[in-house]
Amino acid sequence: MNAAASVKKQYAVNGLKPKAKNLAEAIILQSLEDLWNPEGRSASRKFFRGNGFKICAEVAGLDTLEQFRVLHLIGGRSNGRNTRIH
């Protein structure tokens, strides 16, 4: 029984990783989309300025350069990139 429990635990952990990555990617994409919605813009800006984006980016597997590119894409004075924020 110990070996079966170990395999089950390993499967559960490995099965959760792709799901967590998909969820983190979906959160980032939804926040990007919310920048164009006046009702969601404020919350989206808070997400990208705070730890939410950093955490989701790490779970999604974005390296530092990819994180920079996303932040550069949305721009704005708050992150010192450019003025593309909508």
Side-chain angles (χ1 to χ4, degrees):
M1 278 199 274
N2 194 12
S6 176
V7 170
K8 185 176 180 180
K9 182 178 178 182
Q10 188 177 25
Y11 176 78
V13 170
N14 289 337
L16 289 177
K17 287 181 183 179
K19 292 176 184 176
K21 181 180 180 191
N22 290 341
L23 178 60
E25 290 172 351
I27 292 169
I28 292 170
L29 291 173
Q30 184 63 53
S31 295
L32 284 170
E33 185 177 327
D34 287 347
L35 285 172
W36 281 265
N37 181 352
E39 295 173 5
R41 189 172 296 148
S42 176
S44 182
R45 286 180 179 169
K46 287 179 186 176
F47 171 77
F48 285 107
R49 290 179 183 154
N51 287 330
F53 174 68
K54 295 173 188 174
I55 293 168
C56 286
E58 287 180 23
V59 172
L62 299 178
D63 62 22
T64 305
L65 181 58
E66 291 168 327
Q67 291 178 36
F68 175 80
R69 286 179 179 159
V70 171
L71 292 174
H72 188 272
L73 173 71
I74 63 172
R77 286 175 270 151
S78 64
N79 57 23
R81 307 295 189 245
N82 60 36
T83 57
R84 283 195 206 171
I85 199 156
H86 299 280

